[in-house]
């Protein structure tokens, strides 16, 4: 595989640390749990979108874009990181944010990521709950072109084959850390939503000939639709990196048992996972993505899925800025 021929700009702090969580591992009775600190990637408090944006923003610059446009839920971490990336390279940023009224928190529309979006100078357009976000994105793109701008449109979560290249690099980074530290990685678990993170990890492991199994714990979509999306992006990403081996359908594993009533809605298992992780390791997860993914990992461990001496890596994809707008979930 090759990746160095594809344009990338440096936006984050890499490599992110791979850290052992001995007290959490002990509290759950093994296996050994490690965390890949992609909550510490930089870019206005960090998160998994930084890696994707290194490729997406480079592609935008190559295309001569003057305006970055993206879409998401009101408390989108992706939107906030995109706003920070655009500010850093001096591009205009427009965010189309869907006001989902599921959470009755008064800070949902003003705090957390929205506060940071505003500080970062992004132009925010609020879309009503239930809007077709991809259609709104295309429409904004055509309006901007009509007025003489050159927009670069980033899909939800930065999840396209170019954005997923960021997680190919994460897969390579993990393999390097595994070699250096002598820690054999038996399994990888992370939160999945718009498919790009999982697609990049799977493509990266396939491309580099590693067979590390990956489980994505869904934050919203049913497993069938989400694994189709992951497989589609992973296949295209594997082509971009000229992978010798192709992605097989059975390499894409999505667990949708921890979504609860829907995207962004709290569950008891999520609260337990967030609280135990905070209190054993001082490590902060978020209620929308990483809390549900950690609940999924707890369940795999309690179900006897791993031996005591196996090593499981939890990829911490960020979300702390969103947590601060979901405080009422922990009342
Ligand atoms: C976007 C996001 C995810 C999901 O990543 P995808 O690439 O969209 O699947 C997970 N965790 C956090 C905190 C996120 O912001």
């Amino acid at each position: 595989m090759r990746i160095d021929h594809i344009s990338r700009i440096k936006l984050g702090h890499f490599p992110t640390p791979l850290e052992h969580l001995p007290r959490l591992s002990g509290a759950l009775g093994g296996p050994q749990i490690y965390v890949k600190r992609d909550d510490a990637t930089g870019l206005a408090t960090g998160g998994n979108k930084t890696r994707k944006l290194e490729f997406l923003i480079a592609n935008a610059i190559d295309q001569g874009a003057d305006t970055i446009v993206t879409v998401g839920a009101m408390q989108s971490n992706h939107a906030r990181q995109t706003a920070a990336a655009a500010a850093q390279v001096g591009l205009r940023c427009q965010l189309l944010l869907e006001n989902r009224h599921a959470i009755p928190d008064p800070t949902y529309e003003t705090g957390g990521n929205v506060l940071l979006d505003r500080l970062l100078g992004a132009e925010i357009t609020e879309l009503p709950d239930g809007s077709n976000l991809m259609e709104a994105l295309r429409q904004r793109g055509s309006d901007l072109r009509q007025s003489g701008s050159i927009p670069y449109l980033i899909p939800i979560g930065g999840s396209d084959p170019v954005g997923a290249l960021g997680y190919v690099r994460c897969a390579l980074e993990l393999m390097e850390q595994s070699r250096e530290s002598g820690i054999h990685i038996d399994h990888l678990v992370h939160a999945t939503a718009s498919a790009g993170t999982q697609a990049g990890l799977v493509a990266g492991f396939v491309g580099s000939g590693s067979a590390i199994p990956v489980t994505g714990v869904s934050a919203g979509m049913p497993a069938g639709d989400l694994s189709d999306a992951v497989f589609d992006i992973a296949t295209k990403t594997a082509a971009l990196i000229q992978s010798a081996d192709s992605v097989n359908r059975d390499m894409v594993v999505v667990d949708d048992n921890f979504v609860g009533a829907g995207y962004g809605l709290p569950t008891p298992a999520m609260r337990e996972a967030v609280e135990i992780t905070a209190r054993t390791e001082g490590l902060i997860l978020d209620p929308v993505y990483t809390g549900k993914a950690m609940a999924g990992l707890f369940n795999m461990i309690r179900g006897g899925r791993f031996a005591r001496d196996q090593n499981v890596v939890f990829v911490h994809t960020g979300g702390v800025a969103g947590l601060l707008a979901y405080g009422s979930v922990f009342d």
Side-chain angles (χ1 to χ4, degrees):
M1 62 159 281
R2 301 177 62 204
I3 193 164
D4 290 340
H5 64 298
I6 303 173
S7 291
R8 178 175 77 90
I9 57 163
K10 188 183 177 307
L11 294 171
H13 312 312
F14 299 113
T16 57
L18 180 65
E19 294 173 344
H20 188 210
L21 300 179
R23 284 175 35 79
L24 182 62
S25 305
L28 295 165
Q32 295 312 307
I33 305 171
Y34 290 81
V35 61
K36 176 65 170 162
R37 295 295 304 272
D38 271 20
D39 58 318
T41 52
L43 213 54
T45 77
N48 62 338
K49 306 314 180 306
T50 305
R51 290 185 190 272
K52 299 178 182 182
L53 286 160
E54 289 197 327
F55 287 96
L56 292 165
I57 298 288
N59 194 23
I61 291 170
D62 287 350
Q63 294 182 15
D66 55 27
T67 306
I68 304 292
V69 190
T70 197
V71 286
M74 187 62 82
Q75 282 296 332
S76 166
N77 298 302
H78 163 68
R80 177 253 310 162
Q81 296 205 271
T82 302
Q88 195 169 326
V89 299
L91 293 173
R92 190 175 171 199
C93 180
Q94 299 193 344
L95 305 177
L96 313 180
L97 302 180
E98 181 191 8
N99 196 347
R100 297 187 188 159
H101 287 281
I103 294 288
D105 197 298
T107 56
Y108 180 74
E109 291 171 40
T110 53
N113 284 302
V114 178
L115 169 64
L116 299 180
D117 295 341
R118 295 216 162 92
L119 287 177
L120 293 161
E123 299 161 43
I124 299 174
T125 303
E126 195 176 310
L127 302 176
D129 198 357
S131 298
N132 181 334
L133 299 185
M134 288 311 287
E135 182 48 40
L137 181 65
R138 273 190 292 274
Q139 184 60 51
R140 177 60 62 91
S142 93
D143 292 350
L144 281 164
R145 275 187 287 268
Q146 294 239 314
S147 67
S149 286
I150 306 172
Y152 183 84
L153 309 181
I154 300 182
I156 297 169
S159 286
D160 63 16
V162 172
L165 291 167
Y167 273 83
V168 170
R169 289 193 84 241
C170 182
L172 300 180
E173 218 174 270
L174 277 165
M175 288 171 55
E176 178 67 27
Q177 288 171 318
S178 167
R179 266 193 299 273
E180 277 171 4
S181 62
I183 297 160
H184 177 266
I185 301 173
D186 293 294
H187 206 102
L188 206 102
V189 175
H190 69 94
T192 180
S194 67
T197 299
Q198 189 166 5
L201 289 169
V202 169
F205 289 137
V206 168
S208 55
S210 148
I212 299 174
V214 176
T215 299
V217 182
S218 176
M221 264 161 76
D225 293 348
L226 188 45
S227 47
D228 287 349
V230 171
F231 180 66
D232 178 56
I233 298 175
T235 300
K236 292 170 179 160
T237 304
L240 287 180
I241 60 173
Q242 302 165 16
S243 171
D245 295 322
S246 48
V247 177
N248 290 330
R249 199 65 180 68
D250 61 9
M251 295 168 182
V252 177
V253 177
V254 174
D255 182 349
D256 63 2
N257 288 307
F258 297 88
V259 174
Y263 173 85
L265 300 177
T267 63
M270 176 280 290
R271 282 197 200 90
E272 185 210 19
V274 171
E275 287 175 4
I276 291 181
T277 305
R279 291 167 196 186
T280 55
E281 297 286 353
L283 185 68
I284 302 300
L285 303 176
D286 81 294
V288 180
Y289 301 97
T290 54
K292 288 181 177 176
M294 187 63 91
L297 175 56
F298 279 20
N299 187 260
M300 290 168 86
I301 292 171
R302 288 168 175 160
R305 177 71 185 274
F306 306 109
R308 240 168 198 286
D309 58 353
Q310 283 191 304
N311 300 314
V312 178
V313 172
F314 180 81
V315 183
H316 190 333
T317 45
V320 72
L323 165 71
L324 301 179
Y326 280 86
S328 61
V329 158
F330 296 95
D331 283 350

